[in-house]
Amino acid sequence: MAHEEIIYKKYVHIGVAVDTDRGLIVPVIRDADRKNIVQLSVELARLAEKARDRKISFEDMEGGVFTISNLGGIGGTAFSPIVNSPEVAILGVSRGRMEPVYLQGLFQPRLILPLSLSYDHRVIDGADAARFLRWVVQALEQPFLLPFEG
C-alpha cells in the first residue's frame, strides 16, 4: 500500500476462518489449487486443530490471497465479509435452510445456501466476481464435476 502498487501472486494460498475461544483466526492453506479435496480437508482439519489448541504460528496465518469464512456453523444467516488487505477477496458462507422456491409453476422445497463475496475492485472486475460466484454455486450443486473442470 505504501508504494501504491498491486502485486500479482502466482500461487493460491487460501485463508479459512476458524472459530476459537479467542475469536476467529485465519490459518492459510498453501497452494490450494494444487491439492485435491482429501488433501484440502486433511490440511484444514490440521490447521483448525492447531488454531483451537493455541499452537498456530504466525507463519501458518500469513500469505493468504483469498479467505473463506463460514458463519453458518454457528447460526449465521447472512453477513458482509470484509476483505483484509493485502488479500483481494473473501467468500462468506451462511447457514443453509430449506425454502419454497417457485419453479415451473409450483412452489418446491429447495436448500438455499446464502453466499457473500466481497472483493477489491482495484483487482477484480465485478462481472468476473459474479462469474466466479456462479462457478462456486455450480461446484456446490455438482461437486463430482470438479475434477473435470478444475
Side-chain angles (χ1 to χ4, degrees), residues 16-88:
V16 182
V18 175
D19 185 29
T20 74
D21 60 356
R22 298 174 320 249
L24 288 178
I25 293 178
V26 184
V28 174
I29 297 175
R30 302 200 181 300
D31 300 311
D33 58 322
R34 297 181 187 165
K35 296 177 179 168
N36 64 39
I37 194 74
V38 173
Q39 292 169 315
L40 291 169
S41 64
V42 168
E43 187 163 352
L44 175 58
R46 181 185 64 78
L47 287 169
E49 183 178 356
K50 281 178 74 173
R52 291 186 182 113
D53 291 344
R54 299 181 178 215
K55 295 179 181 176
I56 198 89
S57 69
F58 180 73
E59 292 78 25
D60 289 326
M61 297 187 294
E62 67 181 356
V65 297
F66 182 96
T67 290
I68 300 170
S69 182
N70 177 4
L71 296 185
I74 57 175
T77 57
F79 66 107
S80 298
I82 297 173
V83 179
N84 290 314
S85 182
E87 294 187 4
V88 296

Side-chain angles (χ1 to χ4, degrees), residues 46-142:
R46 181 185 64 78
L47 287 169
E49 183 178 356
K50 281 178 74 173
R52 291 186 182 113
D53 291 344
R54 299 181 178 215
K55 295 179 181 176
I56 198 89
S57 69
F58 180 73
E59 292 78 25
D60 289 326
M61 297 187 294
E62 67 181 356
V65 297
F66 182 96
T67 290
I68 300 170
S69 182
N70 177 4
L71 296 185
I74 57 175
T77 57
F79 66 107
S80 298
I82 297 173
V83 179
N84 290 314
S85 182
E87 294 187 4
V88 296
I90 181 170
L91 176 67
V93 181
S94 296
R95 174 163 283 192
R97 63 187 175 277
M98 294 300 288
E99 290 187 9
V101 175
Y102 192 73
L103 295 170
Q104 301 172 351
L106 299 171
F107 282 100
Q108 300 176 23
R110 290 288 186 259
L111 180 60
I112 303 298
L113 179 66
L115 301 174
S116 302
L117 181 65
S118 300
Y119 47 92
D120 186 336
H121 280 278
R122 295 171 300 173
V123 181
I124 298 172
D125 179 270
D128 289 336
R131 282 187 280 274
F132 169 75
L133 196 52
R134 184 66 208 143
W135 177 86
V136 170
V137 168
Q138 289 172 337
L140 292 171
E141 289 174 341
Q142 298 183 42

